[in-house]
Amino acid sequence: NGTRQVKNLAGTLSSKPKNLVAMGDRIAFSALTSGGQVELHTSDGTVEGTVQVANLNGGGSANPEILTATSTHVIFVANKTATQRELYI
């Protein structure tokens, strides 16, 4: 049985991971945090190596979308504020 949950990102909520893209030996994805916000995460498949990258919109969800990966970076669009979406790398 090789299938297992990597990490609980959202406490009692469902983290609803989506937009998964391969980035070298990691994956990048958007997921719900325990604070109820959708943020960018990366994972190497371990509990310790699965982390939120940043809180890009301190007042709400960044909602990262259109994730595109290179071998070392992920490029995406996210909310900087409630009314401003920006391109990030």
Side-chain angles (χ1 to χ4, degrees):
N1 185 353
T3 303
R4 62 181 169 73
Q5 179 180 3
V6 175
K7 185 174 184 178
N8 182 342
L9 300 170
T12 59
L13 305 172
S14 169
S15 62
K16 301 179 183 176
K18 61 181 180 178
N19 303 313
L20 284 77
V21 295
M23 182 182 64
D25 61 352
R26 302 184 66 81
I27 60 166
F29 58 98
S30 57
L32 191 66
T33 67
S34 59
Q37 298 170 334
V38 179
E39 302 295 343
L40 182 68
H41 294 76
T42 65
S43 179
D44 64 0
T46 67
V47 172
E48 300 80 16
T50 303
V51 295
Q52 180 179 326
V53 174
N55 184 353
L56 300 170
N57 179 357
S61 290
N63 288 319
E65 298 179 320
I66 315 171
L67 278 65
T68 303
T70 68
S71 61
T72 57
H73 294 87
V74 62
I75 303 161
F76 61 98
V77 175
N79 295 337
K80 182 176 181 181
T81 66
T83 59
Q84 186 178 6
R85 289 189 62 76
E86 299 293 342
L87 180 66
Y88 290 88
I89 187 166

